[in-house]
Amino acid sequence: MTTSSFLGPLLEIYKEMNDRYEIDRVVVIKVNEWLNTHKIKPETLFMAVYEQRDDPNYTFFLAFLYQWGIGCDMDPEKAFQYNMIAAEAEDPQAQSQVGAFYYYGLGIPKDYDKSLYWFKKAATNGCATAAGWLGGFYQEGIGTEPDSEKAFAWYSQSAKGGDASGQCNLGQCYKEGIGTTINETKAAFWHRKSAESGWPAGQFWLGTCLFSGIGIEKNTKEAFYWFSKAAAEGDDRAQNWLGYLYQHGEGVGKDKNKSIYWYRKSAAYGKNASAIHNLAYCYRYAQGSSRDIHEAIRCYRSAHKNGHKAAYENLLHMFSKAPN
């Protein structure tokens, strides 16, 4: 495949993906998959894009390659520089990236005010991803006063523009009544849209809707399917749910070994208190593991430290019993 035959189509694919997914990591994976499928080396891609660096159509793409080190050394300062060139040329996706760079402090000091400014420019120019960011800013009060109604409005614009993260957040607005009245049917609808677009958080929340019958008919088998999709992408909440489903045989056959496997995956970074608490139960009662009271106590303590309310009660109960 010649440079001229792959560069244009890949650029269009990249722009389409970039406006669907808020997290660049997802786009990186998909770009690398495309390169592998077409047997094109990352270095070949980088040189082809670099040669077109004066073309505004490729400046933004070059920034992406520098940001993630695809075919070159990772260089956030150069990534910011090329994003800014494209942003000042009124590229809405580049404007959104500049907003993200200011938010995270990539290649430039953090500045929430400038981040908000660039996200607003991008969203006004039609970038659905930027509209989703603005929803988060107004919901959390980042660089501005909290305003749930504005958060809902920006999430709505993002979701209707096809952004998977915005669809997920709009679903949560309807589920929790953020800036709007609670509507569980609409919550499930937008979570499904997000899930089908490949967004792990959307897949997780759709799984919870299906498991509990929130705004949709209860279906534990389909809940298992969506939790599995999200878990495979590293969503620790979905991994914890898979552990639960395997433990209790809901939506899938009981399997204690798979149950503790997923609890361990979810608890691996020590932050999911529910998974750590469930893991403690497995060690305490030999569920998919040999009985290990010391490990059970360690997990209960860790779960309590991370805010799990029942963990402390279980610790007290264990210490009140004579060892067997």
Side-chain angles (χ1 to χ4, degrees):
M1 183 177 286
T2 64
T3 299
S4 59
S5 64
F6 82 75
L7 199 52
L10 179 56
L11 178 64
E12 292 307 311
I13 292 170
Y14 166 70
K15 286 188 173 182
E16 189 273 333
M17 288 190 297
N18 194 73
D19 208 28
R20 285 181 60 198
Y21 301 106
E22 180 180 314
I23 303 300
D24 274 343
R25 178 179 59 82
V26 178
V27 184
V28 172
I29 292 170
K30 293 184 178 296
V31 167
N32 281 324
E33 287 176 350
W34 193 94
L35 291 174
N36 289 333
T37 299
H38 293 83
K39 296 180 171 54
I40 297 170
K41 293 181 180 180
E43 293 79 8
T44 301
L45 170 64
F46 174 79
M47 289 306 302
V49 175
Y50 187 78
E51 288 175 0
Q52 302 294 326
R53 62 189 180 279
D54 294 328
D55 183 336
N57 291 316
Y58 291 95
T59 307
F60 174 48
F61 196 15
L62 181 59
F64 170 79
L65 300 180
Y66 271 124
Q67 180 182 352
W68 292 97
I70 298 176
C72 61
D73 291 334
M74 192 177 292
D75 192 329
E77 291 183 1
K78 284 185 178 179
F80 176 79
Q81 172 190 341
Y82 282 107
N83 269 322
M84 183 58 81
I85 291 171
E88 290 176 341
E90 298 300 321
D91 184 313
Q93 292 180 332
Q95 290 169 341
S96 181
Q97 280 296 90
V98 169
F101 271 58
Y102 273 119
Y103 178 81
Y104 290 115
L106 298 174
I108 198 78
K110 282 186 179 183
D111 191 320
Y112 292 146
D113 291 335
K114 289 182 179 179
S115 180
L116 181 66
Y117 169 81
W118 282 104
F119 281 134
K120 280 185 176 179
K121 279 186 70 72
T124 301
N125 286 330
C127 180
T129 300
W133 273 94
L134 286 176
F137 273 43
Y138 280 107
Q139 183 178 351
E140 303 296 332
I142 300 172
T144 185
E145 291 296 317
D147 189 322
S148 60
E149 291 184 0
K150 285 185 178 180
F152 174 78
W154 284 114
Y155 284 144
S156 296
Q157 179 174 321
S158 176
K160 292 171 184 177
D163 182 72
S165 175
Q167 292 166 345
C168 179
N169 287 321
L170 183 60
Q172 283 304 99
C173 287
Y174 279 119
K175 186 177 182 181
E176 300 176 13
I178 300 171
T180 188
T181 54
I182 291 175
N183 188 319
E184 292 181 346
T185 301
K186 288 185 177 180
F189 170 83
W190 284 109
H191 284 320
R192 182 175 290 282
K193 291 281 284 185
S194 177
E196 291 175 348
S197 292
W199 190 246
Q203 294 165 347
F204 164 73
W205 286 114
L206 177 59
T208 65
C209 289
L210 288 161
F211 180 84
S212 301
I214 299 172
I216 196 171
E217 185 177 351
K218 181 180 175 74
N219 187 327
T220 56
K221 286 186 177 180
E222 191 180 357
F224 172 79
Y225 170 81
W226 288 111
F227 283 138
S228 297
K229 296 278 283 185
E233 294 296 326
D235 189 300
D236 63 286
R237 301 163 301 177
Q239 292 168 345
N240 181 45
W241 266 100
L242 278 186
Y244 176 89
L245 296 179
Y246 275 118
Q247 181 181 355
H248 298 280
E250 297 197 44
V252 68
K254 279 189 179 182
D255 191 321
K256 293 179 180 178
N257 292 327
K258 288 184 179 179
S259 174
I260 197 169
Y261 168 82
W262 285 109
Y263 283 146
R264 283 171 174 160
K265 288 278 285 186
S266 179
Y269 295 104
K271 294 181 180 180
N272 191 312
S274 179
I276 299 169
H277 184 264
N278 290 332
L279 195 55
Y281 177 92
C282 292
Y283 285 124
R284 183 178 179 183
Y285 295 106
Q287 300 290 306
S289 168
S290 57
R291 193 179 189 209
D292 190 332
I293 296 300
H294 293 294
E295 190 64 13
I297 290 172
R298 186 193 69 78
C299 287
Y300 278 137
R301 283 175 171 164
S302 178
H304 172 61
K305 182 179 178 181
N306 282 278
H308 197 286
K309 294 180 180 179
Y312 185 66
E313 295 176 5
N314 280 305
L315 273 174
L316 291 178
H317 186 264
M318 289 187 71
F319 283 125
S320 69
K321 300 288 185 181
N324 294 327

